[in-house]
Amino acid sequence: MLLSPSSKDASIRPVDATFVESLPKIELHAHLSGSIGRECLHEIWLKKKNEDPTMQLEDPLTALPLHVDVTTFFPLFSNYIYLLCNSISSLQYSVESVLRSFRDDGVCYLELRTTPRASPSMSQDTYIETVLNGIDNFGRESLSTYLILSIDRRNTASEAMRVVELAIKYQSRGVVGVDLCGDPSKGDVSIFREPFRKAKANGLRITLHFAEIPLSSTEAELITLLSFEPDRIGHVIHVPESIRAEIIARRLGLEMCLSCNVKAKLTEGGYSDHHLNDWRVTDCPVVLCTDDVGIFCSGLSNEYLLAAQHFKLSRAAVLDMCHRAINVIFGGEEEKARLRVALSAFEHASNSDINCSLEVDLVVLSQYRGKVS
């Protein structure tokens, strides 16, 4: 049978915006506070300013810089975003906005991570419950969402253990893992050995920010982090060859954040120099992620487009990367099966030159969810 030219060439057509936007994507490294869009922060600011005209915080549209590096990035949270989103209502509003933004970008599976923050208006428990309620209220039909609780590198051992205990407490509501994050120039990671051991013993999965800057990439620190038995690691920028070999031997999932690394100058050079291309050819599943889309202003569809353009990835290469990424999600086997069905359906439709709209993808996801529930 002779194929039409459009069908025959479908698998070799270049990756374009339509393809990546329709692609059913998974997001595994997204910080809640860093994923809040500037317009959402502006709306929260307006509401608070109307309620309290004496509020000293500047409008985020002017307060948040368009360009950051590793030294200016972390103060954005402690000096601004945490102060603005410090009430139950502002947290509820931001959670809904973040979920809607990911859904509208074609993300169908999301693992959102956040550090449980107590404030004068809410406890750590209330913070977590508010986020989980927001996820429940948003619904999981079009965006299946799970939560990862983060330990900050500046935490004490007891504070870290408290995060793990909270993760265990809320496991039945969709908390699937524990993360280690925060300013990579701070803290002694060796004090977290027992908290991560307890997390692992209680069935929680582990993901770690790993080798972000030279200071946090000593062989001693990286060996300590690997002793926590992570399932995935993020960034993996300044990795010595001996540690790289161990990562590959374990086939760990690698969370790659192109725009974050390039724009924050965590890597040398531009997108084409990013280490994603070196890791992509190993046995480690590589997962494209946004990290902090509210700060770096690059959604997941755009991250796929950037990767395809700078590394000359074919549609087949992008789809292969997506298939492999499914293996390292924390949501369980039913979610993996559902995502494989959705991605295979998209792949078939794309290769058949069918107009693969996001709406079609979501119907497939919804129908399959009914079969596995």
Side-chain angles (χ1 to χ4, degrees):
M1 183 180 79
L2 292 176
L3 296 175
S4 68
S6 60
S7 296
K8 182 180 178 181
D9 298 337
S11 62
I12 59 173
R13 289 201 307 269
V15 175
D16 56 17
T18 299
F19 178 84
V20 296
E21 288 165 4
S22 300
L23 180 70
K25 296 174 284 294
I26 67 174
E27 168 65 80
L28 304 183
H29 189 128
H31 297 272
L32 171 57
S33 296
S35 298
I36 307 170
R38 292 166 191 256
E39 189 59 38
C40 176
L41 291 172
H42 174 66
E43 291 163 2
I44 293 171
W45 179 84
L46 283 176
K47 185 175 185 298
K48 289 197 166 190
K49 191 70 172 177
N50 287 334
E51 294 171 350
D52 179 14
T54 65
M55 184 179 70
Q56 296 300 306
L57 284 177
E58 188 182 347
D59 186 335
L61 295 181
T62 56
L64 298 181
L66 294 176
H67 305 288
V68 297
D69 58 26
V70 71
T71 59
T72 59
F73 173 76
F74 291 100
L76 291 179
F77 297 93
S78 56
N79 296 341
Y80 192 90
I81 296 176
Y82 293 161
L83 298 177
L84 182 64
C85 301
N86 62 354
S87 64
I88 293 175
S89 61
S90 59
L91 182 58
Q92 289 171 330
Y93 192 79
S94 58
V95 169
E96 180 184 356
S97 176
V98 166
L99 296 179
R100 185 169 59 251
S101 294
F102 277 116
R103 182 200 61 193
D104 292 349
D105 189 36
V107 175
C108 61
Y109 177 92
L110 169 65
E111 291 178 11
L112 197 61
R113 60 183 71 185
T114 190
T115 304
R117 288 185 290 109
S119 67
S121 62
M122 57 183 153
S123 64
Q124 285 182 306
D125 276 274
T126 302
Y127 179 92
I128 296 169
E129 289 168 0
T130 301
V131 174
L132 289 170
N133 289 341
I135 292 171
D136 291 341
N137 293 336
F138 188 81
R140 289 181 166 84
E141 289 74 22
S142 59
L143 177 60
S144 190
T145 305
Y146 295 86
L147 193 63
I148 294 171
L149 297 188
S150 298
I151 294 170
D152 192 296
R153 290 176 62 106
R154 295 169 296 183
N155 286 161
T156 64
S158 60
E159 288 170 335
M161 186 62 80
R162 173 61 177 158
V163 172
V164 172
E165 290 167 350
L166 287 166
I168 295 168
K169 178 179 179 179
Y170 291 100
Q171 216 168 346
S172 63
R173 288 201 56 192
V175 175
V176 292
V178 179
D179 166 42
L180 179 65
C181 69
D183 188 338
S185 68
K186 309 294 184 184
D188 174 10
V189 298
S190 67
I191 69 172
F192 303 131
R193 187 173 280 108
E194 185 57 24
F196 279 106
R197 186 205 64 77
K198 183 169 184 174
K200 201 80 171 179
N202 282 273
L204 290 163
R205 309 297 290 277
I206 294 174
T207 178
L208 307 170
H209 284 61
F210 195 92
E212 285 183 89
I213 62 173
L215 186 62
S216 65
S217 303
T218 64
E219 189 164 309
E221 170 160 328
L222 300 184
I223 288 173
T224 298
L225 292 176
L226 288 176
S227 75
F228 299 165
E229 299 182 18
D231 301 283
R232 298 196 310 254
I233 50 180
H235 298 295
V236 290
I237 300 170
H238 305 279
V239 182
E241 192 56 40
S242 60
I243 302 297
R244 175 184 166 88
E246 179 63 21
I247 291 169
I248 295 171
R250 297 191 191 190
R251 298 185 177 183
L252 296 179
L254 306 179
E255 302 157 359
M256 294 286 179
C257 309
L258 283 173
S259 291
C260 163
N261 295 167
V262 172
K263 291 185 176 183
K265 298 181 174 60
L266 294 173
T267 56
E268 293 184 2
Y271 287 97
S272 299
D273 304 301
H274 195 275
H275 53 289
L276 178 148
N277 213 34
D278 297 328
W279 285 104
R280 190 176 61 83
V281 296
T282 71
D283 289 334
C284 295
V286 169
V287 191
L288 283 174
C289 306
T290 56
D291 201 354
D292 297 284
V293 65
I295 304 298
F296 300 109
C297 303
S298 179
L300 192 54
S301 292
N302 193 55
E303 294 297 287
Y304 273 95
L305 191 59
L306 287 168
Q309 290 173 342
H310 288 280
F311 305 122
K312 297 179 172 56
L313 302 183
S314 65
R315 294 187 176 200
V318 169
L319 289 165
D320 178 67
M321 190 161 57
C322 292
H323 276 292
R324 295 177 67 196
I326 292 172
N327 296 326
V328 294
I329 70 167
F330 292 170
E333 294 306 313
E334 287 189 353
E335 288 285 7
K336 290 179 183 178
R338 180 181 68 84
L339 292 168
R340 290 184 183 116
V341 167
L343 190 56
S344 295
F346 170 84
E347 185 173 7
H348 172 74
S350 179
N351 288 339
S352 300
D353 201 30
I354 296 172
N355 182 20
C356 312
S357 68
L358 178 59
E359 288 77 10
V360 172
D361 294 331
L362 297 183
V363 168
V364 172
L365 293 174
S366 180
Q367 288 175 344
Y368 192 71
R369 174 171 289 282
K371 292 179 183 178
V372 300
S373 59

